Amino acid sequence: MIDPFKYEKSYYLFFGVYGIVNTYIIYLVIQKFLYLNIGVKGYLPFIMIWGMFVAILVGINWLNLKALYTGTYYKLQQMKSISVAWVGIGGAGYVIGQILLSVFYTEFATYIILISCIFLLSILTAFFSINIHRYFFICRNLDIVKKVEPNFGLPKNERKFKYIYRQI
């Protein structure tokens, strides 16, 4: 808010921590639905959902590292087509499973649909956590980042914009 262009590097750290914190808050919201509204008892659902959220955070960050070091991000920047259908398989499987469960437990269908939607939102917030890796990558390779993006970290009035938008 003070000078977002000058402190551009810190933005990545903030956004990554923001993603982890929000993913944890979503985890707590789902626990509230399960234990207070649906009436689940015991520790097994608590442990299973905790494992699921840790798996989401670890899995998304692992995919980020794999995409970074295999050249996937470079191919995306070059506008080459990449098959990314496998990205939505996990989320779609969870939603289908929740719909099937709602058929068997119809009195809790509203809560199950809410939990499914909140869980899908947690995938987005877990995706934000990859910015922590970007922050550390930028810290270690600032000279390379400056070669690729010369305006990185400069105040707005010192930036030379390389993109000229033409009128259509």
Side-chain angles (χ1 to χ4, degrees):
M1 288 176 29
I2 297 169
D3 192 358
F5 293 102
K6 185 177 177 184
Y7 301 110
E8 191 171 4
K9 183 172 65 169
S10 300
Y11 165 79
Y12 290 105
L13 180 63
F14 165 75
F15 210 57
V17 172
Y18 172 80
I20 290 174
V21 168
N22 279 334
T23 302
Y24 178 70
I25 290 172
I26 288 173
Y27 161 75
L28 293 176
V29 167
I30 289 177
Q31 292 297 334
K32 183 246 180 206
F33 274 122
L34 286 175
Y35 284 98
L36 296 180
N37 295 23
I38 295 179
V40 172
K41 304 263 188 254
Y43 291 108
L44 187 60
F46 180 81
I47 294 169
M48 288 174 49
I49 293 176
W50 176 256
M52 184 174 54
F53 276 96
V54 169
I56 288 171
L57 284 170
V58 170
I60 285 179
N61 282 290
W62 177 77
L63 285 173
N64 174 55
L65 290 173
K66 184 177 177 185
L68 181 66
Y69 293 116
T70 59
T72 304
Y73 287 140
Y74 177 74
K75 291 176 188 174
L76 285 172
Q77 287 178 343
Q78 302 303 316
M79 300 298 184
K80 295 179 183 176
S81 64
I82 296 173
S83 175
V84 291
W86 52 269
V87 173
I89 291 173
Y94 185 81
V95 170
I96 291 170
Q98 291 298 329
I99 291 172
L100 290 174
L101 283 174
S102 69
V103 170
F104 296 114
Y105 301 103
T106 56
E107 62 188 43
F108 302 120
T110 304
Y111 291 121
I112 290 174
I113 290 171
L114 281 172
I115 289 172
S116 299
C117 293
I118 292 170
F119 178 75
L120 288 175
L121 179 65
S122 74
I123 293 173
L124 176 69
T125 60
F127 177 74
F128 294 158
S129 70
I130 67 171
N131 286 304
I132 292 175
H133 178 263
R134 290 180 183 172
Y135 171 77
F136 288 119
F137 181 83
I138 290 169
C139 287
R140 285 190 302 257
N141 303 304
L142 190 58
D143 53 335
I144 297 171
V145 172
K146 287 280 195 177
K147 282 182 189 176
V148 174
E149 188 60 49
N151 293 327
F152 185 82
L154 294 176
K156 187 175 182 179
N157 58 357
E158 294 179 17
R159 289 185 177 223
K160 295 178 180 126
F161 295 101
K162 66 178 180 179
Y163 302 107
I164 299 174
Y165 298 101
R166 58 187 171 128
Q167 293 180 343
I168 296 177

